[in-house]
Amino acid sequence: LVGFISGTAHLSQCYRSVLIHRALPLIWFIIPALLRPSTWKQVFETLLYPHREIDVPPDSQPPEPTAELLSIVIAPPGRGTGTAAALVSTLEAGLHQWGHLGPYRVVTIAADPRSNAFYRKVGFQHVREFQHHGVAMNLYHKDLST
């Protein structure tokens, strides 16, 4: 395995599906973390994430895209080989097949120069910085309709 990518055409529907169909295995897996009160805030922030606008003042911009690149990981031997860009292209083809032809987003840690440079390289445009779980994050959009 050199890498993987995950994404969704509709983030809130994805979360809903996971909670409906996979809640018990998920809860079983995270029980140790749930026993620590410090993790409850992060659990609630994570569950509310698909339903919040990311620091967008009302009526200032179009609503956030529903589609999102959720994660991409490339093992060290696959880095610098074009594998990550190929996976992004594959995700975009999947979004088209699912009927999503507009913008989609990705969020990454603002302090990570490698991921920020990668997203710019594959055509994402930086939108803004915001805080999530107390960490500065960058929001990027890429429009598939062009």
Side-chain angles (χ1 to χ4, degrees):
L1 181 66
V2 176
F4 75 88
I5 192 167
S6 66
T8 181
H10 201 284
L11 187 61
S12 62
Q13 287 178 3
C14 178
Y15 270 52
R16 187 174 323 128
S17 177
V18 168
L19 290 173
I20 290 170
H21 301 290
R22 302 285 185 245
L24 289 178
L26 180 62
I27 289 170
W28 181 254
F29 180 73
I30 64 171
I31 282 176
L34 292 176
L35 296 176
R36 293 188 308 269
S38 62
T39 62
W40 279 94
K41 180 181 177 194
Q42 291 180 338
V43 168
F44 287 119
E45 286 178 352
T46 300
L47 289 173
L48 294 174
Y49 173 74
H51 305 290
R52 72 174 242 200
E53 295 289 330
I54 301 175
D55 297 340
V56 178
D59 300 326
S60 68
Q61 296 182 16
E64 279 298 307
T66 59
E68 184 165 342
L69 187 165
L70 298 169
S71 62
I72 183 169
V73 177
I74 306 297
R79 293 181 186 156
T81 64
T83 302
L87 287 174
V88 169
S89 293
T90 301
L91 174 64
E92 291 171 356
L95 289 170
H96 276 114
Q97 288 177 342
W98 298 329
H100 184 83
L101 302 176
Y104 76 111
R105 69 186 185 186
V106 66
V107 173
T108 191
I109 296 173
D112 181 355
R114 187 171 58 194
S115 69
N116 284 277
F118 170 73
Y119 291 125
R120 286 185 179 104
K121 178 181 173 186
V122 295
F124 283 90
Q125 301 297 314
H126 183 261
V127 175
R128 74 182 72 71
E129 188 175 300
F130 68 99
Q131 294 288 313
H132 186 63
H133 298 311
V135 176
M137 306 296 285
N138 278 336
L139 171 67
Y140 291 91
H141 287 182
K142 185 175 182 183
D143 193 350
L144 298 178
S145 63
T146 57

